[in-house]
Structure formats: structure tokens, C-alpha cells
Amino acid sequence: MDNCSFLLKHYEDTLRLASKKGYKFMTIREFGELAGKKRPLPKKIIVLRHDIDFDLGLSMKMAAIENRHGIKSTYFIRIHAKYYSPFSPDNYVILKRLMKMGHEVGLHFDFGFAKLFNENPKEMLLKDRKIFENLIGRPIDSVSMHEPARSGTTLNE
């Protein structure tokens, strides 16, 4: 496992090796719940997450691999993605399948999109969260910022 090929087989081999070494995989939500209990955390944890920037369809391939190994992860979805739309029928089916498989979905928010239209990023974040929650039919627990260094915007502004 010295060479990372960035192929799905390598991804599966990596998950298998981590499991063999005793690592526990969890979603962002699961980690937050565990950390909130104010007990010592297990020493070997992998909080597994994926920011989906280009291809929502590829997420199903990764999710299937994870499911074969009893692993759940968090998939962060952009609603303003240039290369896919979570509102398209095919991608909507993918979102539903990810959730049915037990994976968490969260919002992958792009501050740059708000800046592009000279809109308040915090207000857009709240608006996008509602839109995404309405799309998937449930509240989301987590948000991942898309390229925060590139946009130059943080939630502290």
C-alpha cells in the first residue's frame, strides 16, 4: 500500500487495511454525538467524509465499497455545482440511495457563489441549507465549506 493510485480498488484496500488495524469509521454526525458525551474518544477513529465537487455518480461507487465493509461516511453535496445538479432526477435518486444505505449527506457550501452575485454569504448559507433540507426531506447536521482559502470568506466575517 505504498503507492496511492487514486483508483477505487486502492480506496477499498485502504478501508480494509484501516479496519484490520482496528480503526472505527463514523460519519460527521456520529462523531459529533460521541464527542458531545464528554467521554474519552476511542484512540482509532476515522471520520470519513467526501466533498462532492464533480461527479455525484462516483459517490455511489464509493458508498457501495463502504457498505461492503460496514462503513458509513458523510457525503457533502453542492447545490450550486458546476458539473452536476442534485435536483436532476438521476442525482436525486443517488441522494436517496446514499441516505437509504445509512450514509449521511450534508451541504457543501460555496462562499464564492455568494460573492459572485454580491450576496451575503451567511444569508445564502441559511437559504441553501433550507433548500437542501427540503430536497432531501430531512434536516442536515453538517456543512462543509467549498475551498474556503480560495474564496477568502469565513463564517467569522
Side-chain angles (χ1 to χ4, degrees):
M1 294 260 320
D2 293 331
N3 295 331
C4 181
S5 65
F6 293 100
L7 297 174
L8 290 171
K9 182 185 180 327
H10 179 80
Y11 180 63
E12 185 165 13
D13 291 344
T14 302
L15 295 177
R16 189 180 297 117
L17 179 62
S19 293
K20 184 177 177 181
K21 291 188 176 244
Y23 283 88
K24 177 176 176 40
F25 292 89
M26 57 184 58
T27 65
I28 300 287
R29 178 187 308 117
E30 291 168 336
F31 180 76
E33 290 170 356
L34 186 62
K37 293 183 179 176
K38 302 205 189 273
R39 293 189 305 221
L41 295 171
K43 293 187 187 289
K44 293 185 172 186
I45 295 176
I46 295 177
V47 181
L48 191 56
R49 56 169 278 190
H50 309 279
D51 292 354
I52 310 301
D53 290 336
F54 297 104
D55 185 357
L56 193 52
L58 182 59
S59 66
M60 280 309 306
K61 294 178 181 180
M62 297 178 81
I65 290 169
E66 292 162 359
N67 270 19
R68 279 198 298 271
H69 297 279
I71 295 170
K72 304 292 181 231
S73 64
T74 302
Y75 288 84
F76 287 105
I77 312 300
R78 291 174 65 191
I79 66 170
H80 303 293
K82 182 176 181 177
Y83 301 102
Y84 71 88
S85 169
F87 301 93
S88 75
D90 290 343
N91 288 328
Y92 182 72
V93 168
I94 290 170
L95 289 174
K96 291 295 197 178
R97 287 180 61 198
L98 285 171
M99 292 185 297
K100 188 173 184 178
M101 293 168 85
H103 297 286
E104 177 184 8
V105 295
L107 177 63
H108 192 34
F109 180 72
D110 186 355
F111 277 121
F113 188 81
K115 284 186 161 189
L116 184 65
F117 295 99
N118 200 28
E119 294 188 27
N120 181 301
K122 289 181 187 177
E123 290 175 11
M124 184 170 277
L125 171 60
L126 295 174
K127 181 172 41 174
D128 285 358
R129 178 182 179 176
K130 286 180 187 175
I131 291 168
F132 189 62
E133 288 176 337
N134 283 331
L135 175 68
I136 65 170
R138 64 170 70 161
I140 60 167
D141 294 314
S142 52
V143 175
S144 165
M145 298 304 148
H146 177 67
E147 299 180 345
R150 185 178 293 189
S151 73
T153 305
T154 67
L155 287 175
N156 296 329
E157 293 181 6

